Coordinates of all heavy atoms in Angstrom, one line a residue:
S1 N 69.7 -86.4 72.8 CA 69.8 -85.0 73.0 C 70.2 -84.7 74.4 O 69.7 -85.4 75.4 CB 68.4 -84.4 72.7 OG 67.8 -83.8 73.6
H2 N 71.0 -83.7 74.6 CA 71.5 -83.3 75.9 C 71.0 -81.9 76.2 O 71.0 -81.0 75.4 CB 73.0 -83.3 75.9 CG 73.6 -84.6 75.9 ND1 73.3 -85.6 74.9 CD2 74.6 -85.2 76.6 CE1 74.0 -86.6 75.1 NE2 74.9 -86.5 76.2
E3 N 70.6 -81.7 77.5 CA 70.2 -80.4 77.9 C 71.3 -79.7 78.5 O 72.1 -80.4 79.2 CB 69.0 -80.5 78.9 CG 67.7 -80.9 78.3 CD 66.6 -80.8 79.3 OE1 66.6 -79.9 80.2 OE2 65.7 -81.6 79.3
S4 N 71.4 -78.4 78.2 CA 72.5 -77.7 78.8 C 72.0 -77.0 80.1 O 70.8 -77.0 80.4 CB 73.0 -76.6 77.8 OG 72.0 -75.7 77.7
A5 N 72.9 -76.7 81.0 CA 72.6 -76.1 82.2 C 72.0 -74.7 82.0 O 72.3 -74.1 81.1 CB 73.9 -75.9 83.1
P6 N 71.1 -74.3 82.9 CA 70.5 -73.0 82.7 C 71.6 -71.9 82.7 O 72.6 -72.0 83.4 CB 69.6 -72.8 84.0 CG 69.5 -74.2 84.5 CD 70.6 -75.0 84.1
V7 N 71.3 -70.9 81.9 CA 72.4 -69.8 81.9 C 71.6 -68.5 82.4 O 70.5 -68.2 82.0 CB 72.8 -69.5 80.5 CG1 73.7 -68.3 80.4 CG2 73.5 -70.8 80.0
T8 N 72.2 -67.7 83.3 CA 71.7 -66.5 83.8 C 72.4 -65.4 83.1 O 73.6 -65.3 83.1 CB 71.9 -66.3 85.3 OG1 71.2 -67.4 85.9 CG2 71.3 -65.1 85.8
V9 N 71.6 -64.5 82.5 CA 72.3 -63.4 81.7 C 72.1 -62.1 82.5 O 70.9 -61.8 82.9 CB 71.6 -63.2 80.3 CG1 72.2 -61.9 79.6 CG2 71.7 -64.5 79.5
R10 N 73.1 -61.4 83.0 CA 73.1 -60.2 83.6 C 73.7 -59.1 82.8 O 74.5 -59.4 81.9 CB 73.9 -60.4 84.9 CG 73.3 -61.3 85.9 CD 74.1 -61.3 87.3 NE 73.5 -62.1 88.2 CZ 73.9 -63.4 88.5 NH1 74.8 -63.9 87.8 NH2 73.2 -64.1 89.4
P11 N 73.2 -57.9 83.0 CA 73.8 -56.8 82.2 C 75.3 -56.6 82.6 O 75.7 -56.9 83.7 CB 72.9 -55.5 82.6 CG 72.3 -56.0 84.0 CD 72.2 -57.5 83.9
S12 N 76.0 -56.2 81.6 CA 77.4 -55.8 81.9 C 77.4 -54.6 82.9 O 76.6 -53.7 82.9 CB 78.1 -55.3 80.5 OG 79.2 -54.6 80.9
T13 N 78.4 -54.7 83.8 CA 78.5 -53.6 84.8 C 78.7 -52.2 84.0 O 78.4 -51.2 84.5 CB 79.6 -53.7 85.8 OG1 80.8 -54.0 85.1 CG2 79.2 -54.9 86.7
A14 N 79.2 -52.3 82.8 CA 79.5 -51.1 82.0 C 78.1 -50.4 81.6 O 78.0 -49.2 81.4 CB 80.3 -51.3 80.8
D15 N 77.0 -51.2 81.7 CA 75.7 -50.7 81.3 C 75.0 -50.1 82.5 O 73.9 -49.5 82.2 CB 74.9 -51.9 80.6 CG 75.4 -52.3 79.3 OD1 76.2 -51.5 78.7 OD2 75.2 -53.4 78.9
V16 N 75.4 -50.3 83.7 CA 74.8 -49.8 84.8 C 75.1 -48.4 85.0 O 76.3 -48.0 85.0 CB 75.1 -50.6 86.2 CG1 74.4 -50.1 87.4 CG2 74.7 -52.1 85.9
T17 N 74.1 -47.6 85.1 CA 74.3 -46.1 85.2 C 74.8 -45.7 86.6 O 74.3 -46.3 87.6 CB 72.9 -45.4 84.9 OG1 72.5 -45.8 83.6 CG2 73.1 -43.9 84.9
A18 N 75.7 -44.8 86.7 CA 76.2 -44.2 88.0 C 75.1 -43.7 88.8 O 74.2 -43.1 88.3 CB 77.3 -43.2 87.7
I19 N 75.3 -43.9 90.1 CA 74.3 -43.4 91.1 C 74.3 -41.9 91.2 O 75.4 -41.3 91.4 CB 74.5 -44.0 92.5 CG1 74.3 -45.5 92.4 CG2 73.5 -43.4 93.6 CD1 74.7 -46.2 93.6
P20 N 73.2 -41.1 91.0 CA 73.2 -39.7 91.2 C 73.4 -39.3 92.6 O 73.0 -40.1 93.6 CB 71.9 -39.2 90.6 CG 70.9 -40.4 90.8 CD 71.8 -41.7 90.8
T21 N 73.7 -38.0 92.8 CA 73.7 -37.4 94.2 C 72.6 -36.4 94.4 O 72.5 -35.5 93.4 CB 75.0 -36.8 94.5 OG1 76.1 -37.8 94.3 CG2 75.2 -36.2 95.9
V22 N 72.0 -36.4 95.5 CA 70.9 -35.4 95.8 C 71.6 -34.4 96.7 O 72.3 -34.7 97.7 CB 69.7 -36.0 96.6 CG1 68.7 -34.9 97.0 CG2 69.0 -37.0 95.7
R23 N 71.6 -33.1 96.3 CA 72.2 -32.0 97.0 C 71.6 -31.9 98.4 O 70.4 -31.9 98.5 CB 72.2 -30.7 96.3 CG 73.0 -29.6 97.0 CD 72.9 -28.3 96.2 NE 73.2 -28.4 94.8 CZ 72.6 -27.8 93.8 NH1 71.7 -26.9 94.0 NH2 72.9 -27.9 92.5
S24 N 72.4 -31.8 99.4 CA 71.8 -31.5 100.7 C 72.5 -30.3 101.5 O 73.6 -30.0 101.0 CB 72.0 -32.8 101.6 OG 73.3 -33.1 101.9
P25 N 72.0 -29.7 102.4 CA 70.8 -30.0 103.1 C 69.5 -29.7 102.3 O 69.6 -28.7 101.5 CB 70.8 -29.3 104.4 CG 71.6 -28.1 104.0 CD 72.6 -28.5 103.0
L26 N 68.5 -30.4 102.5 CA 67.1 -30.0 101.9 C 66.4 -29.5 103.1 O 66.3 -30.1 104.2 CB 66.4 -31.3 101.3 CG 67.0 -31.8 100.1 CD1 66.3 -33.1 99.7 CD2 66.8 -30.7 98.9
L27 N 65.7 -28.3 102.9 CA 65.0 -27.7 104.0 C 63.5 -27.7 103.8 O 63.1 -27.6 102.6 CB 65.4 -26.3 104.2 CG 67.0 -26.0 104.5 CD1 67.3 -24.6 104.7 CD2 67.3 -26.8 105.9
E28 N 62.8 -27.7 104.8 CA 61.3 -27.7 104.7 C 60.9 -26.5 103.8 O 61.5 -25.4 103.9 CB 60.6 -27.6 106.1 CG 60.8 -26.4 106.9 CD 60.1 -26.2 108.1 OE1 59.0 -26.7 108.2 OE2 60.8 -25.9 109.1
G29 N 59.8 -26.7 103.0 CA 59.3 -25.7 102.2 C 60.0 -25.6 100.8 O 59.5 -24.9 99.9
A30 N 61.1 -26.3 100.7 CA 61.8 -26.3 99.4 C 60.9 -26.9 98.3 O 60.2 -27.9 98.6 CB 63.1 -27.1 99.4
S31 N 60.9 -26.3 97.1 CA 60.1 -26.8 96.1 C 61.0 -27.3 94.8 O 60.5 -27.6 93.7 CB 59.1 -25.8 95.6 OG 59.8 -24.6 95.2
T32 N 62.3 -27.3 95.0 CA 63.3 -27.7 94.0 C 64.2 -28.7 94.7 O 64.6 -28.5 95.7 CB 64.0 -26.6 93.5 OG1 63.1 -25.7 92.8 CG2 65.0 -27.1 92.4
V33 N 64.4 -29.9 94.0 CA 65.4 -30.8 94.4 C 66.5 -30.8 93.3 O 66.2 -30.8 92.1 CB 64.8 -32.3 94.5 CG1 65.9 -33.3 94.9 CG2 63.7 -32.2 95.6
A34 N 67.7 -30.8 93.7 CA 68.8 -30.7 92.7 C 70.0 -31.6 93.2 O 70.0 -32.1 94.3 CB 69.3 -29.3 92.5
G35 N 70.9 -31.9 92.2 CA 72.0 -32.7 92.6 C 73.0 -32.8 91.4 O 72.9 -32.0 90.4
S36 N 73.8 -33.8 91.4 CA 74.8 -34.0 90.4 C 74.9 -35.5 90.1 O 74.3 -36.3 90.7 CB 76.1 -33.6 90.9 OG 76.6 -34.3 92.0
A37 N 75.5 -35.8 88.9 CA 75.6 -37.1 88.4 C 76.8 -37.2 87.5 O 77.1 -36.3 86.7 CB 74.4 -37.5 87.6
K38 N 77.6 -38.3 87.8 CA 78.8 -38.5 87.0 C 78.4 -39.5 85.8 O 78.8 -40.6 85.6 CB 79.8 -39.3 87.8 CG 80.3 -38.4 88.9 CD 81.4 -39.0 89.7 CE 81.9 -38.1 90.8 NZ 82.9 -38.6 91.7
T39 N 77.4 -38.9 84.9 CA 76.9 -39.5 83.8 C 76.9 -38.7 82.6 O 76.9 -37.4 82.8 CB 75.4 -40.0 84.1 OG1 74.7 -38.9 84.5 CG2 75.4 -41.0 85.4
P40 N 76.6 -39.2 81.4 CA 76.6 -38.3 80.3 C 75.5 -37.3 80.3 O 74.4 -37.6 80.8 CB 76.5 -39.3 79.1 CG 76.8 -40.7 79.6 CD 76.5 -40.6 81.1
E41 N 75.6 -36.2 79.6 CA 74.6 -35.3 79.3 C 73.4 -36.0 78.7 O 73.5 -36.8 77.9 CB 75.1 -34.2 78.4 CG 74.0 -33.1 78.2 CD 74.5 -32.1 77.1 OE1 75.7 -32.2 76.6 OE2 73.8 -31.1 77.0
G42 N 72.2 -35.6 79.2 CA 71.0 -36.3 78.7 C 70.5 -37.4 79.5 O 69.3 -38.0 79.3
T43 N 71.3 -37.9 80.6 CA 70.8 -39.0 81.4 C 69.6 -38.5 82.2 O 69.5 -37.3 82.6 CB 72.0 -39.3 82.4 OG1 73.0 -39.8 81.8 CG2 71.5 -40.3 83.5
T44 N 68.7 -39.5 82.3 CA 67.4 -39.2 83.0 C 67.6 -39.5 84.6 O 68.0 -40.6 84.9 CB 66.2 -40.0 82.5 OG1 66.1 -39.6 81.1 CG2 65.0 -39.7 83.3
V45 N 67.3 -38.5 85.4 CA 67.3 -38.7 86.8 C 65.8 -38.7 87.3 O 65.0 -37.8 87.1 CB 68.1 -37.7 87.5 CG1 67.9 -37.8 89.1 CG2 69.5 -37.7 87.2
D46 N 65.4 -39.8 87.9 CA 64.1 -39.9 88.5 C 64.2 -39.6 90.0 O 65.0 -40.1 90.7 CB 63.4 -41.2 88.3 CG 63.0 -41.5 86.9 OD1 62.3 -40.7 86.3 OD2 63.5 -42.5 86.4
V47 N 63.3 -38.7 90.5 CA 63.3 -38.2 91.9 C 62.2 -38.8 92.6 O 61.0 -38.8 92.2 CB 63.3 -36.7 91.9 CG1 63.3 -36.1 93.4 CG2 64.5 -36.1 91.2
Y48 N 62.4 -39.2 93.9 CA 61.4 -39.8 94.7 C 61.4 -39.1 96.1 O 62.4 -38.8 96.6 CB 61.8 -41.3 95.0 CG 61.9 -42.2 93.7 CD1 63.0 -42.1 93.0 CD2 60.7 -42.8 93.2 CE1 63.2 -42.8 91.8 CE2 60.9 -43.5 92.1 CZ 62.1 -43.5 91.4 OH 62.1 -44.2 90.1
V49 N 60.1 -38.8 96.6 CA 59.9 -38.3 97.8 C 59.2 -39.3 98.7 O 58.1 -39.7 98.2 CB 59.2 -37.0 97.9 CG1 58.9 -36.4 99.3 CG2 60.0 -35.9 97.1
N50 N 59.7 -39.8 99.7 CA 59.1 -40.9 100.5 C 58.8 -42.0 99.7 O 57.7 -42.7 99.8 CB 57.8 -40.3 101.3 CG 58.2 -39.2 102.2 OD1 59.3 -39.2 102.9 ND2 57.4 -38.2 102.3
A51 N 59.7 -42.4 98.8 CA 59.6 -43.6 97.9 C 58.6 -43.4 96.8 O 58.4 -44.4 96.0 CB 59.4 -44.8 98.7
A52 N 58.0 -42.3 96.6 CA 56.9 -42.0 95.6 C 57.6 -41.2 94.5 O 58.3 -40.1 94.8 CB 55.7 -41.4 96.1
W53 N 57.6 -41.6 93.3 CA 58.1 -40.8 92.2 C 57.4 -39.5 92.0 O 56.1 -39.4 92.1 CB 57.9 -41.6 90.9 CG 58.5 -40.9 89.7 CD1 59.8 -41.0 89.3 CD2 57.8 -40.2 88.7 NE1 59.9 -40.3 88.1 CE2 58.7 -39.8 87.7 CE3 56.4 -39.7 88.6 CZ2 58.3 -39.0 86.6 CZ3 56.1 -39.0 87.5 CH2 57.0 -38.6 86.5
V54 N 58.2 -38.4 92.0 CA 57.6 -37.0 91.8 C 58.0 -36.4 90.5 O 57.4 -35.3 90.2 CB 58.0 -36.1 93.0 CG1 57.4 -36.6 94.3 CG2 59.5 -36.0 93.1
G55 N 58.9 -37.0 89.8 CA 59.2 -36.4 88.5 C 60.6 -36.8 88.0 O 61.4 -37.5 88.7
S56 N 61.0 -36.3 86.8 CA 62.2 -36.7 86.2 C 63.0 -35.3 85.8 O 62.3 -34.3 85.4 CB 62.1 -37.4 84.9 OG 61.5 -38.7 85.2
A57 N 64.3 -35.3 85.9 CA 65.2 -34.3 85.4 C 66.2 -34.8 84.4 O 66.3 -36.1 84.3 CB 65.9 -33.7 86.6
T58 N 66.8 -33.9 83.7 CA 67.9 -34.4 82.7 C 69.2 -33.8 83.1 O 69.3 -32.6 83.5 CB 67.4 -33.9 81.3 OG1 66.1 -34.4 81.0 CG2 68.4 -34.3 80.3
V59 N 70.2 -34.6 83.1 CA 71.5 -34.2 83.4 C 72.1 -33.4 82.3 O 72.0 -33.6 81.1 CB 72.5 -35.4 83.7 CG1 73.9 -35.0 83.9 CG2 72.0 -36.3 84.8
T60 N 72.7 -32.1 82.8 CA 73.2 -31.2 81.9 C 74.6 -31.5 81.5 O 75.3 -32.4 82.1 CB 73.2 -29.8 82.4 OG1 73.9 -29.8 83.6 CG2 71.7 -29.4 82.7
A61 N 75.2 -30.7 80.7 CA 76.6 -31.0 80.2 C 77.6 -30.9 81.3 O 78.7 -31.6 81.4 CB 77.0 -30.0 79.1
D62 N 77.3 -30.1 82.3 CA 78.2 -29.9 83.5 C 77.9 -30.8 84.6 O 78.4 -30.8 85.7 CB 78.1 -28.4 84.0 CG 76.7 -28.0 84.4 OD1 75.7 -28.8 84.3 OD2 76.6 -26.8 84.8
G63 N 77.1 -31.9 84.3 CA 76.8 -32.9 85.4 C 75.8 -32.6 86.4 O 75.7 -33.3 87.4
L64 N 75.1 -31.6 86.2 CA 74.0 -31.2 87.2 C 72.6 -31.5 86.8 O 72.3 -31.6 85.6 CB 74.1 -29.7 87.6 CG 75.5 -29.3 88.0 CD1 75.6 -27.8 88.2 CD2 75.9 -29.9 89.3
W65 N 71.7 -31.6 87.7 CA 70.3 -31.8 87.4 C 69.5 -31.1 88.4 O 69.9 -30.8 89.6 CB 69.9 -33.2 87.3 CG 70.2 -34.0 88.5 CD1 71.3 -34.7 88.8 CD2 69.3 -34.2 89.7 NE1 71.2 -35.3 90.2 CE2 70.0 -35.0 90.6 CE3 68.1 -33.7 90.0 CZ2 69.5 -35.3 91.9 CZ3 67.5 -34.1 91.3 CH2 68.2 -34.9 92.1
S66 N 68.2 -30.7 88.1 CA 67.4 -29.9 89.0 C 65.9 -30.3 88.6 O 65.6 -30.4 87.4 CB 67.6 -28.4 88.9 OG 66.8 -27.7 89.7
L67 N 65.0 -30.4 89.6 CA 63.6 -30.7 89.4 C 62.8 -29.8 90.3 O 63.0 -29.8 91.5 CB 63.4 -32.2 89.6 CG 61.9 -32.6 89.5 CD1 61.4 -32.5 88.0 CD2 61.7 -34.0 90.0
D68 N 61.8 -29.1 89.7 CA 60.8 -28.4 90.5 C 59.7 -29.5 90.9 O 59.1 -30.1 90.0 CB 60.1 -27.3 89.8 CG 61.2 -26.1 89.5 OD1 62.0 -26.0 90.3 OD2 60.9 -25.4 88.5
I69 N 59.4 -29.7 92.1 CA 58.6 -30.7 92.6 C 57.2 -30.1 92.9 O 57.0 -28.9 93.2 CB 59.1 -31.5 93.8 CG1 59.4 -30.5 95.0 CG2 60.4 -32.3 93.4 CD1 59.8 -31.3 96.2
P70 N 56.1 -31.0 92.7 CA 54.7 -30.5 92.8 C 54.3 -30.0 94.2 O 53.5 -29.1 94.4 CB 53.9 -31.6 92.3 CG 54.7 -32.8 92.5 CD 56.1 -32.4 92.3
T71 N 54.9 -30.6 95.3 CA 54.6 -30.3 96.6 C 55.7 -29.8 97.4 O 56.8 -30.6 97.4 CB 53.8 -31.4 97.3 OG1 52.7 -31.9 96.5 CG2 53.3 -31.1 98.7
P72 N 55.8 -28.7 98.1 CA 57.0 -28.4 98.9 C 57.3 -29.4 99.9 O 56.4 -30.1 100.4 CB 56.5 -27.1 99.6 CG 55.4 -26.5 98.7 CD 54.8 -27.7 98.2
L73 N 58.6 -29.6 100.2 CA 59.0 -30.6 101.1 C 58.7 -30.3 102.6 O 58.6 -29.1 102.9 CB 60.6 -30.8 101.0 CG 61.1 -31.3 99.6 CD1 62.6 -31.1 99.6 CD2 60.7 -32.7 99.4
A74 N 58.4 -31.3 103.3 CA 58.1 -31.1 104.7 C 59.2 -31.8 105.6 O 59.9 -32.7 105.2 CB 56.8 -31.8 105.1
V75 N 59.3 -31.4 106.8 CA 60.3 -32.0 107.8 C 60.0 -33.5 107.9 O 58.9 -33.9 108.0 CB 60.2 -31.3 109.2 CG1 61.1 -32.1 110.2 CG2 60.6 -29.8 109.1
G76 N 61.1 -34.2 107.7 CA 61.0 -35.7 107.8 C 60.8 -36.4 106.5 O 60.9 -37.6 106.5
D77 N 60.5 -35.6 105.4 CA 60.4 -36.2 104.1 C 61.8 -36.8 103.8 O 62.8 -36.3 104.2 CB 60.0 -35.2 103.0 CG 58.6 -34.9 103.0 OD1 57.8 -35.7 103.6 OD2 58.2 -33.9 102.3
S78 N 61.8 -37.9 103.0 CA 63.0 -38.5 102.6 C 63.1 -38.5 101.0 O 62.2 -38.8 100.3 CB 63.0 -40.0 103.0 OG 64.2 -40.7 102.5
V79 N 64.2 -37.9 100.5 CA 64.4 -37.7 99.1 C 65.5 -38.6 98.6 O 66.5 -38.7 99.1 CB 64.7 -36.2 98.8 CG1 64.8 -36.0 97.3 CG2 63.5 -35.4 99.4
S80 N 65.3 -39.2 97.4 CA 66.3 -40.0 96.8 C 66.2 -40.0 95.3 O 65.2 -39.3 94.7 CB 66.2 -41.5 97.3 OG 65.0 -42.0 96.8
A81 N 67.1 -40.5 94.5 CA 67.0 -40.4 93.1 C 67.7 -41.6 92.5 O 68.5 -42.2 93.0 CB 67.7 -39.1 92.6
T82 N 67.3 -42.0 91.2 CA 68.0 -42.9 90.4 C 68.3 -42.3 89.0 O 67.7 -41.3 88.7 CB 67.1 -44.2 90.2 OG1 65.9 -43.8 89.5 CG2 66.7 -44.9 91.5
A83 N 69.1 -42.9 88.3 CA 69.6 -42.4 87.0 C 69.5 -43.5 85.9 O 69.8 -44.7 86.2 CB 70.9 -41.7 87.0
T84 N 69.1 -43.2 84.7 CA 69.1 -44.1 83.6 C 69.9 -43.5 82.5 O 69.5 -42.3 82.0 CB 67.6 -44.5 83.2 OG1 66.9 -45.0 84.4 CG2 67.7 -45.4 82.1
G85 N 70.9 -44.1 82.0 CA 71.7 -43.6 81.0 C 71.1 -43.5 79.7 O 70.0 -44.0 79.4
V86 N 71.7 -42.7 78.7 CA 71.2 -42.5 77.5 C 71.5 -43.6 76.4 O 71.0 -43.7 75.4 CB 71.6 -41.2 76.9 CG1 71.1 -40.0 77.7 CG2 73.2 -41.1 76.9
Q87 N 72.6 -44.4 76.8 CA 73.0 -45.5 75.9 C 72.0 -46.6 75.7 O 71.3 -46.8 76.6 CB 74.5 -46.0 76.2 CG 74.4 -46.7 77.5 CD 74.6 -46.0 78.8 OE1 74.2 -44.9 78.9 NE2 75.1 -46.6 79.8
A88 N 71.9 -47.3 74.6 CA 71.0 -48.3 74.4 C 71.3 -49.5 75.4 O 72.5 -49.7 75.7 CB 71.2 -48.9 73.0
G89 N 70.3 -50.1 76.0 CA 70.5 -51.1 77.0 C 71.0 -50.6 78.3 O 71.3 -51.4 79.2
A90 N 70.9 -49.3 78.6 CA 71.3 -48.7 79.9 C 70.5 -49.3 81.0 O 69.3 -49.5 80.8 CB 71.2 -47.2 79.9
V91 N 71.1 -49.6 82.1 CA 70.4 -50.1 83.2 C 70.3 -49.0 84.3 O 71.2 -48.3 84.5 CB 71.1 -51.4 83.9 CG1 70.5 -51.9 85.1 CG2 71.2 -52.5 82.8
T92 N 69.1 -48.9 84.9 CA 68.8 -47.9 85.9 C 69.8 -48.1 87.1 O 69.9 -49.2 87.6 CB 67.4 -47.9 86.4 OG1 66.6 -47.5 85.2 CG2 67.1 -46.8 87.5
S93 N 70.3 -47.0 87.7 CA 71.2 -47.1 88.8 C 70.5 -47.6 90.0 O 69.2 -47.3 90.1 CB 71.9 -45.7 89.1 OG 70.9 -44.9 89.6
P94 N 71.2 -48.0 91.0 CA 70.5 -48.2 92.3 C 70.2 -46.8 92.9 O 70.6 -45.8 92.4 CB 71.7 -48.8 93.2 CG 72.7 -49.4 92.2 CD 72.6 -48.5 91.0
S95 N 69.4 -46.8 93.9 CA 68.9 -45.5 94.5 C 70.1 -44.8 95.1 O 70.9 -45.4 95.8 CB 67.8 -45.8 95.5 OG 67.3 -44.6 96.0
S96 N 70.1 -43.5 95.2 CA 71.1 -42.6 95.8 C 70.8 -42.8 97.3 O 69.8 -43.3 97.8 CB 70.9 -41.2 95.4 OG 69.6 -40.7 95.9
A97 N 71.7 -42.2 98.1 CA 71.5 -42.2 99.5 C 70.3 -41.4 99.7 O 70.1 -40.3 99.0 CB 72.8 -41.5 100.2
K98 N 69.5 -41.6 100.7 CA 68.4 -40.8 101.1 C 68.8 -39.5 101.8 O 69.6 -39.6 102.6 CB 67.3 -41.6 101.9 CG 66.7 -42.7 101.1 CD 65.8 -43.5 101.8 CE 65.2 -44.6 100.9 NZ 64.5 -45.7 101.7
V99 N 68.1 -38.4 101.5 CA 68.4 -37.2 102.1 C 67.1 -36.8 102.9 O 66.1 -36.7 102.3 CB 68.8 -36.1 101.2 CG1 69.0 -34.7 101.9 CG2 70.0 -36.5 100.4
A100 N 67.3 -36.6 104.3 CA 66.2 -36.2 105.1 C 65.9 -34.7 105.1 O 67.0 -34.0 105.0 CB 66.3 -36.7 106.5
V101 N 64.7 -34.3 105.0 CA 64.5 -32.9 105.0 C 64.4 -32.3 106.3 O 63.9 -32.9 107.3 CB 63.0 -32.6 104.3 CG1 62.7 -31.1 104.4 CG2 63.0 -33.1 103.0
A102 N 65.2 -31.3 106.6 CA 65.4 -30.7 107.9 C 64.6 -29.4 108.0 O 64.1 -28.8 107.1 CB 66.9 -30.2 108.0
P103 N 64.4 -29.0 109.3 CA 63.6 -27.7 109.5 C 64.3 -26.5 108.9 O 65.6 -26.5 108.9 CB 63.6 -27.6 111.1 CG 63.9 -29.0 111.6 CD 64.7 -29.7 110.5
S104 N 63.6 -25.6 108.5 CA 64.1 -24.3 108.0 C 64.7 -23.6 109.2 O 64.2 -23.7 110.3 CB 63.1 -23.5 107.3 OG 63.5 -22.3 107.0
S105 N 65.7 -22.8 109.0 CA 66.4 -21.9 110.1 C 65.5 -20.7 110.3 O 65.7 -20.0 111.2 CB 67.7 -21.6 109.8 OG 67.9 -20.9 108.6
R106 N 64.5 -20.4 109.4 CA 63.8 -19.3 109.5 C 62.8 -19.4 110.7 O 62.1 -20.4 110.9 CB 63.0 -19.0 108.3 CG 63.7 -18.5 107.1 CD 62.9 -18.4 105.9 NE 62.7 -19.8 105.3 CZ 61.8 -20.1 104.6 NH1 60.8 -19.2 104.2 NH2 61.6 -21.3 104.1
R107 N 62.8 -18.4 111.5 CA 62.0 -18.4 112.7 C 60.9 -17.3 112.5 O 61.3 -16.2 112.0 CB 62.7 -18.1 114.1 CG 63.9 -19.1 114.3 CD 63.3 -20.3 115.1 NE 64.3 -21.2 115.5 CZ 64.4 -22.4 115.0 NH1 63.5 -22.8 114.1 NH2 65.4 -23.2 115.4
P108 N 59.7 -17.5 113.0 CA 58.7 -16.4 112.9 C 59.1 -15.2 113.8 O 59.7 -15.5 114.8 CB 57.4 -17.1 113.4 CG 57.8 -18.3 114.2 CD 59.1 -18.8 113.6
P109 N 58.8 -14.0 113.4 CA 59.2 -12.9 114.3 C 58.5 -12.9 115.6 O 57.3 -13.5 115.8 CB 58.6 -11.6 113.5 CG 57.7 -12.2 112.5 CD 58.0 -13.6 112.3
R110 N 59.2 -12.5 116.6 CA 58.7 -12.5 118.0 C 57.5 -11.4 118.1 O 57.8 -10.3 117.6 CB 59.7 -12.3 119.0 CG 60.7 -13.4 119.1 CD 61.7 -13.1 120.2 NE 62.8 -14.2 120.1 CZ 63.5 -14.4 121.1 NH1 63.6 -13.6 122.1 NH2 64.4 -15.4 121.1
P111 N 56.5 -11.7 118.8 CA 55.5 -10.5 119.1 C 56.1 -9.4 119.8 O 56.9 -9.6 120.7 CB 54.4 -11.3 119.8 CG 54.8 -12.7 120.0 CD 56.2 -12.9 119.5
L112 N 55.6 -8.2 119.5 CA 56.1 -7.0 120.2 C 55.5 -6.9 121.6 O 54.4 -7.1 121.8 CB 55.9 -5.8 119.4 CG 56.7 -5.8 118.0 CD1 56.3 -4.6 117.3 CD2 58.2 -5.8 118.4

C-alpha cells in the first residue's frame, strides 16, 4: 500500500465574498454605520467597532447596507466590516479598511 501526499483543500477564489466598504467620514456621536458592497443582494455584512462585533446588515439591491449600532461612536473608535455571500459555500471576506471616528464639527455655543 502506498500513501499519497497530503492534500490541502482551499476554497475557490470565486467563493470568497468581496470586501465591503465602510462609508467615511464617521463622526463622534453617530449611531448608524453604512457602506456599500460589490456583492449580491442579501449578502450579510458584519460590522465591528474596535474589533468587537456590533451587528449585521443586509446588502440591498443597489449594493448599499446600513446598521443602527447600540452605542454611539466615540472619537478614536475604529470601525470595519466583513461580508458573507448568499451562495452555498460562500467564504467570509477579509476585513474592510478600518475607518477611524473623527470629532464632530459641532462646537458648543460660546457663553454670552
Side-chain angles (χ1 to χ4, degrees):
S1 119
H2 290 52
E3 286 187 36
S4 62
V7 175
T8 301
V9 179
R10 292 190 176 93
S12 160
T13 55
D15 293 337
V16 177
T17 305
I19 299 170
T21 300
V22 176
R23 187 181 309 142
S24 64
L26 286 172
L27 300 178
E28 67 179 315
S31 58
T32 300
V33 175
S36 60
K38 293 180 180 177
T39 58
E41 180 179 7
T43 297
T44 299
V45 174
D46 288 308
V47 178
Y48 302 85
V49 176
N50 301 323
W53 182 84
V54 294
S56 296
T58 302
V59 176
T60 60
D62 55 3
L64 302 176
W65 58 269
S66 177
L67 176 69
D68 292 332
I69 56 175
T71 304
L73 296 170
V75 173
D77 282 349
S78 177
V79 179
S80 62
T82 61
T84 304
V86 293
Q87 69 276 24
V91 176
T92 299
S93 74
S95 183
S96 68
K98 292 179 179 165
V99 176
V101 177
S104 169
S105 59
R106 287 176 282 156
R107 300 269 186 250
R110 294 180 183 197
L112 297 174

